[in-house]
Amino acid sequence: MNIDVVLKKQLKVCIIQSDIVWENLTLNFEKYEALIPTNVPFDLIVLPEMFSSGFSISTNTCAEAVDGLSFKWLQQKAIKTKSAIAASIPVLDNGNFFNRFYFVFPDGTFEFYDKNHLFSYAGEHLSFSAGNKRVIIKYKGWKILPLVCYDLRFPVWNCNRFDNGEFDYDLAIYVANWPSARKHAWNTLLQARAIENQCWVVGANRVGLDGKNIFYSGNSAIINPYGEVVNTMEDNEAALEGVLDLGFLNSYREKFSVSNDWDKF
């Protein structure tokens, strides 16, 4: 675990919205190399769910060891860019398959969260095991909640908490392969999660057609705690940049203190 004692009120974030070549690590690594800006330093770079394979539930062809090629690529890229990098990878760990969200710190250390809500509509629950632990990551004075795609639909699992004057988290990150057919839900729920939890939200989605001919329109977004969309983009491959301000968040929380009345789950 990386113990980061550097406080940073502003977090410079870059979402990489990309097409994903179906189950082809090499071509996807090349794609991200080209899309990640090299002339601007970021605090955090966020890639989509199953960034190197696409949302394949064929564990025989897409699952990797916990220290496999995709994880090593993330680790090397974090060290090279001096940025934290977040993405999910299908992994085999101790005999079970997980859709694992990795948060790799700039020094190469990492934390992870295993997707809790498996997408049974597509059969994900038949191939993968659900994680049972919610994780809070501390980075540059921010508390970050990592979540994966379908998790977005379940407000209790997303629920922020306020105890003894402390919030559970400041930023929720959703990495996703969320189809265009349900983009209204994606856009609406991202804003709802920001409003109800008084937090910043970053949603990183993919674009293009996957190996099952499902179309993704992107709609990656950065959303402030008022639920306002600070920056977003449609179905193009590009880097979406934004600055998240912790002072702005804390000021809003103090001014409109609904957290005092939140339900205790």
Side-chain angles (χ1 to χ4, degrees):
M1 176 180 175
N2 180 295
I3 306 299
D4 193 338
V5 297
V6 178
L7 298 178
K8 186 158 186 175
K9 285 191 173 182
Q10 291 189 330
L11 207 63
K12 191 165 187 179
V13 176
C14 178
I15 299 171
I16 303 300
Q17 180 171 281
S18 65
D19 194 355
I20 302 175
V21 184
W22 191 249
E23 297 180 352
N24 192 316
L25 304 187
T26 301
L27 290 181
N28 287 315
F29 295 157
E30 292 174 359
K31 183 182 291 288
Y32 293 111
E33 289 284 355
L35 286 170
I36 294 174
T38 57
N39 59 338
V40 180
F42 294 99
D43 298 299
L44 174 61
I45 298 169
V46 186
L47 311 180
E49 176 186 21
M50 293 193 183
F51 83 104
S52 58
S53 64
F55 186 67
S56 170
I57 59 173
S58 176
T59 52
N60 290 333
T61 56
C62 72
E64 304 180 47
V66 293
D67 60 349
L69 291 176
S70 294
F71 170 75
K72 288 179 178 176
W73 186 90
L74 289 176
Q75 194 172 50
Q76 292 165 1
K77 182 57 64 175
I79 293 170
K80 183 178 179 180
T81 61
K82 298 182 174 61
S83 304
I85 295 187
S88 94
I89 303 168
V91 301
L92 174 62
D93 188 358
N94 198 29
N96 292 307
F97 294 102
F98 297 97
N99 187 342
R100 180 162 291 176
F101 182 124
Y102 280 105
F103 190 100
V104 184
F105 296 91
D107 65 358
T109 60
F110 65 94
E111 294 189 47
F112 68 84
Y113 157 76
D114 291 326
K115 184 178 182 181
N116 176 262
H117 295 90
L118 301 178
F119 192 39
S120 59
Y121 182 78
E124 186 180 17
H125 66 301
L126 301 176
S127 301
F128 290 86
S129 297
N132 58 11
K133 181 182 178 183
R134 206 170 80 148
V135 175
I136 303 294
I137 297 164
K138 294 182 179 179
Y139 177 56
K140 294 194 173 183
W142 289 70
K143 289 175 287 187
I144 300 171
L145 178 71
L147 295 162
V148 181
C149 202
Y150 195 45
D151 284 329
L152 176 62
R153 286 186 177 269
F154 301 90
V156 175
W157 189 250
N158 291 253
C159 183
N160 207 346
R161 302 179 179 98
F162 184 69
D163 292 306
N164 299 317
E166 292 288 329
F167 286 85
D168 202 16
Y169 65 89
D170 308 305
L171 164 64
I173 299 176
Y174 300 88
V175 299
N177 276 206
W178 194 287
S180 177
R182 294 182 287 279
K183 70 178 180 180
H184 175 70
W186 166 259
N187 294 332
T188 303
L189 291 173
L190 287 176
Q191 291 179 275
R193 298 294 165 259
I195 293 168
E196 69 193 8
N197 294 303
Q198 290 198 315
C199 67
W200 284 91
V201 162
V202 166
N205 196 22
R206 65 159 292 174
V207 295
L209 285 173
D210 70 10
K212 295 184 177 180
N213 210 36
I214 296 171
F215 177 65
Y216 302 82
S217 57
N219 307 106
S220 296
I222 296 170
I223 299 169
N224 72 21
Y226 286 88
E228 298 167 338
V229 178
V230 174
N231 203 357
T232 189
M233 58 184 166
E234 286 287 337
D235 59 356
N236 55 311
E237 288 189 297
L240 180 71
E241 303 175 18
V243 176
L244 284 55
D245 193 297
L246 190 58
F248 174 83
L249 172 61
N250 289 333
S251 175
Y252 171 58
R253 286 169 166 175
E254 291 171 7
K255 182 168 55 177
F256 189 55
S257 54
V258 294
S259 55
N260 291 320
D261 306 314
W262 279 347
D263 297 308
K264 306 296 183 183
F265 291 104

